Short mmCIF file of all heavy atoms in Angstrom, two decimals:
data_model
loop_
_atom_site.label_atom_id
_atom_site.label_comp_id
_atom_site.label_asym_id
_atom_site.label_seq_id
_atom_site.Cartn_x
_atom_site.Cartn_y
_atom_site.Cartn_z
N SER R 365 -6.43 -17.71 -3.51
CA SER R 365 -7.85 -17.66 -3.17
C SER R 365 -8.31 -16.21 -3.16
O SER R 365 -7.66 -15.35 -2.53
CB SER R 365 -8.10 -18.31 -1.81
OG SER R 365 -9.41 -18.02 -1.35
N LEU R 366 -9.42 -15.93 -3.85
CA LEU R 366 -9.95 -14.57 -3.85
C LEU R 366 -10.41 -14.16 -2.46
O LEU R 366 -10.22 -13.02 -2.03
CB LEU R 366 -11.12 -14.45 -4.84
CG LEU R 366 -10.77 -14.63 -6.33
CD1 LEU R 366 -12.02 -14.46 -7.18
CD2 LEU R 366 -9.70 -13.63 -6.76
N TRP R 367 -11.01 -15.10 -1.72
CA TRP R 367 -11.49 -14.78 -0.38
C TRP R 367 -10.33 -14.61 0.60
O TRP R 367 -10.41 -13.83 1.55
CB TRP R 367 -12.46 -15.85 0.12
CG TRP R 367 -13.78 -15.76 -0.58
CD1 TRP R 367 -14.28 -16.62 -1.51
CD2 TRP R 367 -14.76 -14.72 -0.41
NE1 TRP R 367 -15.51 -16.18 -1.94
CE2 TRP R 367 -15.84 -15.03 -1.28
CE3 TRP R 367 -14.84 -13.57 0.38
CZ2 TRP R 367 -16.97 -14.23 -1.37
CZ3 TRP R 367 -15.96 -12.78 0.29
CH2 TRP R 367 -17.01 -13.10 -0.58
N GLY R 368 -9.24 -15.33 0.35
CA GLY R 368 -8.04 -15.09 1.16
C GLY R 368 -7.49 -13.69 0.94
O GLY R 368 -7.07 -13.02 1.89
N LEU R 369 -7.54 -13.24 -0.32
CA LEU R 369 -7.09 -11.88 -0.62
C LEU R 369 -8.01 -10.84 0.02
O LEU R 369 -7.55 -9.83 0.55
CB LEU R 369 -7.05 -11.69 -2.14
CG LEU R 369 -6.51 -10.36 -2.66
CD1 LEU R 369 -5.08 -10.13 -2.20
CD2 LEU R 369 -6.58 -10.32 -4.20
N VAL R 370 -9.31 -11.11 0.00
CA VAL R 370 -10.28 -10.20 0.64
C VAL R 370 -10.00 -10.10 2.14
O VAL R 370 -10.05 -9.02 2.73
CB VAL R 370 -11.72 -10.69 0.39
CG1 VAL R 370 -12.72 -9.92 1.27
CG2 VAL R 370 -12.08 -10.53 -1.08
N PHE R 371 -9.70 -11.22 2.76
CA PHE R 371 -9.40 -11.24 4.19
C PHE R 371 -8.16 -10.39 4.50
O PHE R 371 -8.12 -9.67 5.51
CB PHE R 371 -9.18 -12.68 4.65
CG PHE R 371 -8.90 -12.83 6.12
CD1 PHE R 371 -9.91 -12.71 7.05
CD2 PHE R 371 -7.61 -13.06 6.57
CE1 PHE R 371 -9.66 -12.84 8.41
CE2 PHE R 371 -7.33 -13.20 7.92
CZ PHE R 371 -8.37 -13.09 8.84
N MET R 372 -7.16 -10.44 3.62
CA MET R 372 -5.96 -9.62 3.82
C MET R 372 -6.26 -8.14 3.66
O MET R 372 -5.74 -7.31 4.41
CB MET R 372 -4.87 -10.06 2.84
CG MET R 372 -4.38 -11.47 3.06
SD MET R 372 -3.11 -11.94 1.87
CE MET R 372 -3.08 -13.72 2.11
N TYR R 373 -7.10 -7.80 2.69
CA TYR R 373 -7.48 -6.39 2.51
C TYR R 373 -8.25 -5.88 3.73
O TYR R 373 -8.12 -4.70 4.09
CB TYR R 373 -8.32 -6.23 1.26
CG TYR R 373 -7.51 -6.15 -0.01
CD1 TYR R 373 -7.81 -6.94 -1.12
CD2 TYR R 373 -6.44 -5.27 -0.12
CE1 TYR R 373 -7.08 -6.87 -2.29
CE2 TYR R 373 -5.69 -5.19 -1.28
CZ TYR R 373 -6.02 -6.00 -2.36
OH TYR R 373 -5.27 -5.93 -3.51
N LEU R 374 -9.03 -6.74 4.35
CA LEU R 374 -9.72 -6.35 5.58
C LEU R 374 -8.71 -5.97 6.65
O LEU R 374 -8.88 -4.95 7.34
CB LEU R 374 -10.61 -7.51 6.07
CG LEU R 374 -11.22 -7.35 7.47
CD1 LEU R 374 -12.13 -6.12 7.52
CD2 LEU R 374 -11.98 -8.61 7.86
N GLY R 375 -7.66 -6.75 6.78
CA GLY R 375 -6.65 -6.45 7.78
C GLY R 375 -5.88 -5.17 7.48
O GLY R 375 -5.69 -4.33 8.36
N PHE R 376 -5.47 -5.00 6.21
CA PHE R 376 -4.68 -3.82 5.87
C PHE R 376 -5.52 -2.55 5.82
O PHE R 376 -4.99 -1.45 6.01
CB PHE R 376 -3.99 -4.03 4.52
CG PHE R 376 -2.83 -4.97 4.57
CD1 PHE R 376 -2.88 -6.20 3.93
CD2 PHE R 376 -1.69 -4.65 5.27
CE1 PHE R 376 -1.82 -7.08 3.99
CE2 PHE R 376 -0.61 -5.52 5.34
CZ PHE R 376 -0.68 -6.75 4.70
N GLY R 377 -6.81 -2.68 5.57
CA GLY R 377 -7.66 -1.50 5.49
C GLY R 377 -8.30 -1.09 6.80
O GLY R 377 -8.92 -0.02 6.89
N SER R 378 -8.14 -1.91 7.84
CA SER R 378 -8.82 -1.63 9.11
C SER R 378 -8.27 -0.39 9.81
O SER R 378 -9.03 0.36 10.42
CB SER R 378 -8.69 -2.84 10.04
OG SER R 378 -9.38 -3.95 9.51
N GLY R 379 -6.96 -0.17 9.72
CA GLY R 379 -6.36 0.96 10.44
C GLY R 379 -6.95 2.29 10.03
O GLY R 379 -7.41 3.07 10.88
N MET R 380 -6.97 2.57 8.74
CA MET R 380 -7.48 3.84 8.27
C MET R 380 -8.98 3.97 8.53
O MET R 380 -9.48 5.03 8.93
CB MET R 380 -7.21 4.03 6.78
CG MET R 380 -7.65 5.38 6.25
SD MET R 380 -7.61 5.50 4.44
CE MET R 380 -8.98 4.39 4.01
N ALA R 381 -9.73 2.87 8.28
CA ALA R 381 -11.19 2.92 8.46
C ALA R 381 -11.56 3.17 9.91
O ALA R 381 -12.44 4.00 10.20
CB ALA R 381 -11.81 1.61 7.97
N ILE R 382 -10.91 2.49 10.83
CA ILE R 382 -11.21 2.70 12.25
C ILE R 382 -10.81 4.11 12.67
O ILE R 382 -11.53 4.77 13.45
CB ILE R 382 -10.48 1.64 13.11
CG1 ILE R 382 -11.13 0.27 12.89
CG2 ILE R 382 -10.50 2.02 14.59
CD1 ILE R 382 -10.44 -0.87 13.63
N PHE R 383 -9.71 4.60 12.15
CA PHE R 383 -9.28 5.97 12.47
C PHE R 383 -10.32 7.00 12.03
O PHE R 383 -10.67 7.92 12.78
CB PHE R 383 -7.94 6.24 11.80
CG PHE R 383 -7.45 7.66 11.95
CD1 PHE R 383 -6.94 8.12 13.15
CD2 PHE R 383 -7.50 8.53 10.87
CE1 PHE R 383 -6.51 9.43 13.29
CE2 PHE R 383 -7.06 9.83 11.00
CZ PHE R 383 -6.57 10.28 12.22
N LEU R 384 -10.84 6.86 10.81
CA LEU R 384 -11.84 7.81 10.30
C LEU R 384 -13.17 7.67 11.02
O LEU R 384 -13.81 8.67 11.38
CB LEU R 384 -12.02 7.61 8.79
CG LEU R 384 -10.82 7.95 7.91
CD1 LEU R 384 -11.10 7.62 6.45
CD2 LEU R 384 -10.44 9.41 8.06
N TYR R 385 -13.60 6.42 11.25
CA TYR R 385 -14.87 6.20 11.97
C TYR R 385 -14.77 6.74 13.40
O TYR R 385 -15.71 7.32 13.93
CB TYR R 385 -15.21 4.71 12.00
CG TYR R 385 -15.99 4.22 10.81
CD1 TYR R 385 -15.57 3.09 10.09
CD2 TYR R 385 -17.15 4.85 10.41
CE1 TYR R 385 -16.30 2.62 9.01
CE2 TYR R 385 -17.88 4.39 9.32
CZ TYR R 385 -17.44 3.28 8.61
OH TYR R 385 -18.16 2.82 7.54
N HIS R 386 -13.64 6.51 14.01
CA HIS R 386 -13.44 6.92 15.41
C HIS R 386 -13.60 8.43 15.56
O HIS R 386 -14.29 8.92 16.48
CB HIS R 386 -12.04 6.48 15.87
CG HIS R 386 -11.82 6.57 17.35
ND1 HIS R 386 -11.46 7.76 17.97
CD2 HIS R 386 -11.91 5.66 18.34
CE1 HIS R 386 -11.32 7.56 19.26
NE2 HIS R 386 -11.59 6.29 19.52
N GLY R 387 -12.98 9.19 14.66
CA GLY R 387 -13.09 10.64 14.73
C GLY R 387 -14.49 11.13 14.45
O GLY R 387 -14.95 12.11 15.06
N PHE R 388 -15.20 10.46 13.55
CA PHE R 388 -16.56 10.89 13.19
C PHE R 388 -17.55 10.59 14.31
O PHE R 388 -18.44 11.40 14.61
CB PHE R 388 -16.99 10.19 11.90
CG PHE R 388 -18.22 10.77 11.28
CD1 PHE R 388 -18.11 11.78 10.34
CD2 PHE R 388 -19.48 10.31 11.62
CE1 PHE R 388 -19.25 12.33 9.75
CE2 PHE R 388 -20.62 10.86 11.05
CZ PHE R 388 -20.51 11.86 10.10
N MET R 389 -17.40 9.43 14.94
CA MET R 389 -18.37 9.01 15.96
C MET R 389 -18.33 9.86 17.22
O MET R 389 -19.30 9.89 17.98
CB MET R 389 -18.15 7.54 16.32
CG MET R 389 -18.62 6.57 15.28
SD MET R 389 -18.40 4.86 15.82
CE MET R 389 -18.88 3.99 14.34
N LYS R 390 -17.23 10.53 17.46
CA LYS R 390 -17.15 11.37 18.65
C LYS R 390 -18.18 12.50 18.62
O LYS R 390 -18.54 13.03 19.68
CB LYS R 390 -15.75 11.96 18.77
CG LYS R 390 -14.68 10.95 19.15
CD LYS R 390 -13.32 11.63 19.26
CE LYS R 390 -12.23 10.64 19.66
NZ LYS R 390 -10.89 11.29 19.75
N GLY R 391 -18.64 12.86 17.45
CA GLY R 391 -19.61 13.94 17.34
C GLY R 391 -21.06 13.48 17.39
O GLY R 391 -21.96 14.32 17.31
N ILE R 392 -21.30 12.19 17.50
CA ILE R 392 -22.68 11.68 17.57
C ILE R 392 -23.13 11.71 19.02
O ILE R 392 -22.51 11.09 19.88
CB ILE R 392 -22.77 10.25 17.01
CG1 ILE R 392 -22.36 10.24 15.53
CG2 ILE R 392 -24.17 9.68 17.19
CD1 ILE R 392 -22.36 8.87 14.90
N PRO R 393 -24.21 12.41 19.33
CA PRO R 393 -24.66 12.53 20.73
C PRO R 393 -25.03 11.18 21.35
O PRO R 393 -25.74 10.38 20.73
CB PRO R 393 -25.90 13.44 20.64
CG PRO R 393 -25.77 14.13 19.33
CD PRO R 393 -25.06 13.18 18.42
N VAL R 394 -24.55 10.95 22.55
CA VAL R 394 -24.87 9.71 23.26
C VAL R 394 -26.36 9.67 23.62
O VAL R 394 -26.94 8.59 23.76
CB VAL R 394 -24.00 9.59 24.53
CG1 VAL R 394 -24.28 8.29 25.27
CG2 VAL R 394 -22.52 9.68 24.17
N GLU R 395 -26.99 10.84 23.74
CA GLU R 395 -28.40 10.90 24.13
C GLU R 395 -29.29 10.17 23.14
O GLU R 395 -30.33 9.62 23.52
CB GLU R 395 -28.84 12.37 24.25
CG GLU R 395 -28.25 13.11 25.44
CD GLU R 395 -26.82 13.52 25.22
OE1 GLU R 395 -26.34 13.42 24.06
OE2 GLU R 395 -26.15 13.96 26.18
N LEU R 396 -28.91 10.15 21.87
CA LEU R 396 -29.70 9.42 20.87
C LEU R 396 -29.74 7.93 21.19
O LEU R 396 -30.78 7.28 21.09
CB LEU R 396 -29.12 9.65 19.47
CG LEU R 396 -29.23 11.06 18.88
CD1 LEU R 396 -28.49 11.12 17.55
CD2 LEU R 396 -30.68 11.44 18.69
N GLU R 397 -28.60 7.40 21.57
CA GLU R 397 -28.52 5.98 21.90
C GLU R 397 -29.26 5.67 23.20
O GLU R 397 -29.94 4.64 23.31
CB GLU R 397 -27.05 5.56 22.00
CG GLU R 397 -26.25 5.84 20.73
CD GLU R 397 -24.76 5.73 20.94
OE1 GLU R 397 -24.34 4.87 21.76
OE2 GLU R 397 -24.01 6.50 20.32
N GLU R 398 -29.14 6.57 24.18
CA GLU R 398 -29.84 6.36 25.45
C GLU R 398 -31.35 6.37 25.25
O GLU R 398 -32.07 5.56 25.86
CB GLU R 398 -29.43 7.44 26.44
CG GLU R 398 -27.96 7.35 26.86
CD GLU R 398 -27.54 8.53 27.72
OE1 GLU R 398 -28.30 9.52 27.78
OE2 GLU R 398 -26.45 8.46 28.34
N ALA R 399 -31.83 7.26 24.39
CA ALA R 399 -33.26 7.29 24.11
C ALA R 399 -33.73 6.01 23.44
O ALA R 399 -34.82 5.49 23.74
CB ALA R 399 -33.59 8.50 23.22
N ALA R 400 -32.90 5.46 22.53
CA ALA R 400 -33.26 4.21 21.84
C ALA R 400 -33.28 3.04 22.82
O ALA R 400 -34.15 2.16 22.74
CB ALA R 400 -32.27 3.94 20.71
N ILE R 401 -32.33 3.03 23.77
CA ILE R 401 -32.30 1.95 24.77
C ILE R 401 -33.53 2.02 25.66
O ILE R 401 -34.14 1.00 26.00
CB ILE R 401 -31.01 2.05 25.60
CG1 ILE R 401 -29.79 1.75 24.72
CG2 ILE R 401 -31.05 1.08 26.78
CD1 ILE R 401 -28.46 1.98 25.41
N ILE R 402 -33.94 3.23 26.03
CA ILE R 402 -35.14 3.40 26.85
C ILE R 402 -36.37 2.88 26.12
O ILE R 402 -37.28 2.29 26.71
CB ILE R 402 -35.32 4.88 27.23
CG1 ILE R 402 -34.20 5.31 28.18
CG2 ILE R 402 -36.69 5.12 27.88
CD1 ILE R 402 -34.19 6.78 28.50
N ASP R 403 -36.40 3.05 24.80
CA ASP R 403 -37.52 2.56 23.99
C ASP R 403 -37.46 1.06 23.75
O ASP R 403 -38.32 0.52 23.04
CB ASP R 403 -37.55 3.29 22.65
CG ASP R 403 -37.95 4.75 22.80
OD1 ASP R 403 -38.60 5.06 23.82
OD2 ASP R 403 -37.62 5.56 21.92
N GLY R 404 -36.45 0.39 24.30
CA GLY R 404 -36.37 -1.07 24.21
C GLY R 404 -35.50 -1.59 23.09
O GLY R 404 -35.58 -2.77 22.73
N CYS R 405 -34.62 -0.75 22.54
CA CYS R 405 -33.76 -1.18 21.45
C CYS R 405 -32.56 -1.95 22.01
O CYS R 405 -31.99 -1.59 23.04
CB CYS R 405 -33.28 0.04 20.66
SG CYS R 405 -32.67 -0.34 19.02
N SER R 406 -32.18 -3.02 21.34
CA SER R 406 -31.03 -3.82 21.77
C SER R 406 -29.75 -3.11 21.39
O SER R 406 -29.75 -2.17 20.58
CB SER R 406 -31.07 -5.19 21.09
OG SER R 406 -30.91 -5.06 19.68
N PRO R 407 -28.60 -3.54 21.96
CA PRO R 407 -27.32 -2.90 21.59
C PRO R 407 -27.04 -2.94 20.09
O PRO R 407 -26.57 -1.95 19.51
CB PRO R 407 -26.30 -3.70 22.38
CG PRO R 407 -27.05 -4.20 23.58
CD PRO R 407 -28.44 -4.48 23.08
#
Side-chain angles (χ1 to χ4, degrees):
S365 168
L366 294 181
W367 287 108
L369 184 59
V370 169
F371 182 76
M372 295 179 194
Y373 279 130
L374 170 61
F376 286 113
S378 295
M380 184 191 70
I382 289 177
F383 174 74
L384 294 176
Y385 273 129
H386 192 277
F388 193 90
M389 286 183 185
K390 289 180 179 179
I392 298 178
V394 182
E395 290 77 11
L396 292 175
E397 303 167 34
E398 294 174 347
I401 293 173
I402 292 174
D403 290 338
C405 199
S406 65

